[in-house]
């Protein structure tokens, strides 16, 4: 029956005509040639000798642990053939996904999908050639494959004593396709899913390393989101939670590409399990309202813009609260669970600033009048930062072009009140930069507990929203201005206006995402105007100048 294209075999490559003349060279090149193919058992027969009940299945044998360290056994150097492998988890073991990829695509069908690339590497390792028929290829792929996924994963190297080595392997994998395959293999069992759920920080660090490296393959946020979505499905199917780290990471990458459905799903997941937000959640919020400011292609439709706005504020329509209507799932709800101790990672100041950037003065006024202490981070509460809270709302009102309520916010603080500050603020502030994307919790420098530095962090955050970086002279000017700011509400409001990018010359052009130029803020004076004011300046792109971590 071979050679009849009308027959539906294991895959479409098996129906190609085969010659009956076999050369010795063919058998020498491909060890799994046709004469070695075993006959297929009749698994449908009730009395088949090849079928046995599950109760009679033998217990899986104990797999010896293969560690990385030892190439010496009993004081003698072993050969490389007998030495233990360098990788803790052997990623070229056949998985059910590989079998499906072969059944649907064949062995040598060219595609960019990582599952197909892994299958080609397996074919190369097992000497599977393009002239092998479907039976021989299936025989080679199924060699050593078990129906029990726990046994397959154990044979690949996932055992208790190897977990630390696998985490190290995650950090040093060179390609995103390799990282995706490791996560796919581990998520095939419940034990592997529990291990991944505990290792959210390591997974996100590995993603970040691959995003920054970008050598042979470009890693887009869509690719990362697809991998995290698949991981979420596998975890949910086994009754496990994703964990706060992975949920916040998925929320960040979904916001980065304005995938409204994914953003909504992970916001609901965070609210359902009471996950605490972190700095990735704060950057996700910034990505959402920045996309609305610059007219992201995914938010061209008015319905999409309204839905994105509702995910930020939780109010129906997104503009302002309505009497008697409950608040929907949104970024603002995450502030109830915010436990960050650093002001640059707290979500509530970023939320208030985002309302100002989008011009929602009615929403800012509703938040200012409510000032729910449960919504604010614990570091914002107390009298030691009373003036800073007023300045935070005043900045949002000024960005929304509402000077009346900005003055009202500044007048809410007694003139004689002094916030907590330090004598070293004026010396520290000109060279200080906030770490909104910490590389590691061990190297993170927390923001000092000073209202002057906190106000400077909001100003810098406002500049970064519009892709501007202050020059060194501008940083010195800002530090001096903040330290010497008057407590008089009228004077303070004019001072804040002088530090914000309110002029139309500073507005960010639509879809200016490439950052091929550095947009710097310099100082100017003269031309009949009093005092010093900010002016934009365009320069060539410099990663050293921008100083922002992108991942």
């Amino acid at each position: 029956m071979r050679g009849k294209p009308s027959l539906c075999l294991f895959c479409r490559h098996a129906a190609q005509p085969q010659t009956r003349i076999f050369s010795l060279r063919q058998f020498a090149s491909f060890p799994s040639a046709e004469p070695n193919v075993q006959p297929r058992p009749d698994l449908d027969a009730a009395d088949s000798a090849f079928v046995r009940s599950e109760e009679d299945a033998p217990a899986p044998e104990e797999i010896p642990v293969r560690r990385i360290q030892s190439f010496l056994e009993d004081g003698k150097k072993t050969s490389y053939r007998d030495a233990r492998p360098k990788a803790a988890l052997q990623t070229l073991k056949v998985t059910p996904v590989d079998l499906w990829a072969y059944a649907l695509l064949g062995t040598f069908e060219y595609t960019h999908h990582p599952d197909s690339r892994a299958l080609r590497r397996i074919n190369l390792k097992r000497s599977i050639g393009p002239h092998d028929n479907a039976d021989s290829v299936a025989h080679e792929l199924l060699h050593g494959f078990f129906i029990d996924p726990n046994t397959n994963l154990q044979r690949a190297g996932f055992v208790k004593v190897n977990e630390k080595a696998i985490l190290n392997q995650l950090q040093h994998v060179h390609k995103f396709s390799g990282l995706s395959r490791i996560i796919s293999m581990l998520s095939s069992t419940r034990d592997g899913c529990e291990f991944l759920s505990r290792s959210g920080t390591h997974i996100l660090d590995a993603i970040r390393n691959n995003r920054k490296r970008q050598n042979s393959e470009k890693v887009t946020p869509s690719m990362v989101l697809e991998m995290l979505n698949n991981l979420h499905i596998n975890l949910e199917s086994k009754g496990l939670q994703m964990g706060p780290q992975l949920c916040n990471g998925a929320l960040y990458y979904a916001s980065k590409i304005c995938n409204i459905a994914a953003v909504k799903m992970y916001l609901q997941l965070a609210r359902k399990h009471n996950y605490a937000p972190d700095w990735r959640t704060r950057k996700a919020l910034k990505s959402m309202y920045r996309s609305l400011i610059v007219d992201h292609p995914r938010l061209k439709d008015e319905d999409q813009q309204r839905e994105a706005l509702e995910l930020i504020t939780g109010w129906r329509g997104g503009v302002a609260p309505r009497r008697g209507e409950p608040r929907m799932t949104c970024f603002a709800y995450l502030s109830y669970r915010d436990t960050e101790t650093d002001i640059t990672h707290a979500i509530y100041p970023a939320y208030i600033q985002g309302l100002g950037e989008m011009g929602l003065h009615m929403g800012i006024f509703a938040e200012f009048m409510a000032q729910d202490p449960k919504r604010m981070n614990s570091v914002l509460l107390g009298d030691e930062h009373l003036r800073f809270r007023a300045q935070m709302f005043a900045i949002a009102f000024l960005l929304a072009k509402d000077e009346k309520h900005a003055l009202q916010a500044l007048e809410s603080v007694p003139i004689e009140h002094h916030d907590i500050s330090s004598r070293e603020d004026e010396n520290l502030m000109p060279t200080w930069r906030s770490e909104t994307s910490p590389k590691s919790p061990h190297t993170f420098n927390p923001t000092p507990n000073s209202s002057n530095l906190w106000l400077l962090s909001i100003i810098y955050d406002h500049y970064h929203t519009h892709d501007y970086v202050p020059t060194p002279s501008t940083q010195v000017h800002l530090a001096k201005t903040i330290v010497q700011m008057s407590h008089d509400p009228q004077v303070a409001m004019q001072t804040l206006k002088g530090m914000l990018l309110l002029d139309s010359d500073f507005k960010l052009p639509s879809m200016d995402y490439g950052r091929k130029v550095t947009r710097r803020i310099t100082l100017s004076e003269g031309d009949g105007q009093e005092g010093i004011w900010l002016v934009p300046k365009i320069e060539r792109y410099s990663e050293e100048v921008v100083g922002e971590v992108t991942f």
Side-chain angles (χ1 to χ4, degrees), residues 30-47:
F30 304 103
S32 56
E34 186 176 359
N36 295 327
V37 176
Q38 301 296 325
R40 294 183 179 180
D42 185 9
L43 300 180
D44 295 330
D47 56 347

Side-chain angles (χ1 to χ4, degrees), residues 525-531 533:
E525 57 183 331
D527 295 336
Q529 300 187 31
E530 277 189 36
W533 63 94

Side-chain angles (χ1 to χ4, degrees), residues 34 85 106 150 299-300 402 420 473 490:
E34 186 176 359
N150 293 289
L299 302 178
K300 289 293 185 182
D402 188 351
I420 187 172
S473 60
Q490 286 283 358

Side-chain angles (χ1 to χ4, degrees), residues 2 16-23 26 34 131:
R2 174 178 299 167
Q16 297 176 356
Q18 300 275 345
T19 177
R20 294 184 177 275
I21 303 177
F22 303 99
S23 62
Q26 179 180 356
E34 186 176 359
H131 300 292

Side-chain angles (χ1 to χ4, degrees), residues 26-267:
Q26 179 180 356
F27 291 137
S29 302
F30 304 103
S32 56
E34 186 176 359
N36 295 327
V37 176
Q38 301 296 325
R40 294 183 179 180
D42 185 9
L43 300 180
D44 295 330
D47 56 347
S48 175
F50 298 98
V51 180
R52 54 187 170 187
S53 61
E54 185 178 0
E55 291 76 10
D56 300 333
E61 59 179 326
E62 186 67 25
I63 308 299
V65 178
R66 311 184 75 180
R67 294 188 177 87
I68 304 173
Q69 292 85 356
S70 69
F71 283 93
L72 295 176
E73 296 181 1
D74 300 330
K76 298 180 181 180
K77 188 173 183 179
T78 61
S79 63
Y80 268 98
R81 184 187 55 166
D82 300 326
R84 302 169 193 245
K86 293 184 179 181
L89 186 70
Q90 302 175 49
T91 57
L92 291 185
K93 293 290 186 180
V94 177
T95 65
V97 178
D98 298 325
L99 298 178
W100 274 108
Y102 169 65
L104 298 175
L105 300 175
T107 53
F108 297 93
E109 184 74 16
Y110 181 77
T111 175
H112 290 285
H113 200 276
D115 293 338
S116 181
R117 289 199 295 269
L119 182 59
R120 287 198 296 272
R121 292 179 59 197
I122 293 174
N123 293 337
L124 182 63
K125 180 181 179 181
R126 301 197 177 196
S127 301
I128 298 176
H131 300 292
D132 292 340
N133 63 5
D135 290 342
S136 60
V137 173
H139 181 268
E140 286 293 336
L141 292 178
L142 293 173
H143 179 70
F145 179 81
F146 288 82
I147 298 178
D148 181 22
N150 293 289
T151 304
N152 283 326
L153 197 57
Q154 186 183 11
R155 286 183 173 272
F158 180 67
V159 287
K160 191 68 176 178
V161 296
N162 254 12
E163 289 185 355
K164 188 175 181 180
I166 293 175
L167 290 178
N168 185 63
Q169 182 181 356
L170 278 173
Q171 300 299 314
H172 295 88
V173 65
H174 296 292
K175 291 185 178 182
F176 182 76
S177 57
L179 173 64
S180 179
R181 181 168 180 83
I182 291 176
I183 294 177
S184 176
M185 291 179 64
L186 292 174
S187 62
S188 61
T189 66
R190 183 179 178 84
D191 292 340
C193 283
E194 291 178 348
F195 171 72
L196 292 174
S197 181
R198 296 192 307 266
S199 310
T201 303
H202 294 84
I203 295 174
L204 294 176
D205 288 344
I207 294 173
R208 186 180 193 174
N209 294 336
N210 279 269
R211 289 265 296 159
K212 291 177 63 178
R213 192 178 295 117
Q214 304 254 13
N215 289 332
S216 58
E217 59 180 1
K218 184 177 181 181
V219 185
T220 63
S222 299
M223 296 167 58
V224 178
L225 181 61
E226 180 184 359
M227 183 187 72
L228 293 176
N229 285 343
N230 292 334
L231 176 58
H232 168 59
I233 293 173
N234 288 335
L235 289 168
E236 195 175 44
S237 66
K238 296 173 178 60
L240 300 174
Q241 295 184 16
M242 196 173 191
Q245 293 86 5
L246 288 175
C247 182
N248 293 333
L251 185 61
Y252 167 75
Y253 287 106
S255 302
K256 202 172 182 66
I257 59 175
C258 285
N259 191 321
I260 301 299
V263 171
K264 188 174 183 179
M265 178 182 70
Y266 288 113
L267 282 175

Side-chain angles (χ1 to χ4, degrees), residues 387 410 415 486-493:
R387 189 172 299 279
L410 294 173
I415 296 181
S486 173
H487 289 184
D488 181 78
Q490 286 283 358
V491 178
M493 186 176 70

Side-chain angles (χ1 to χ4, degrees), residues 343 385 387-392 395 429 432 447 450-462 478 481-483 485 492 495-496 499-500:
I343 189 63
H385 295 296
R387 189 172 299 279
F388 167 77
R389 292 199 300 270
Q391 292 168 344
M392 175 182 70
I395 289 175
M429 289 167 66
W432 178 81
T447 306
S450 169
S451 288
N452 292 330
L453 277 168
W454 289 15
L455 179 59
L456 183 64
S457 70
I458 289 183
I459 299 296
Y460 281 167
D461 207 27
H462 165 59
L478 292 173
T481 302
I482 292 176
V483 171
M485 184 182 299
T495 304
L496 290 175
M499 292 187 292
L500 300 177

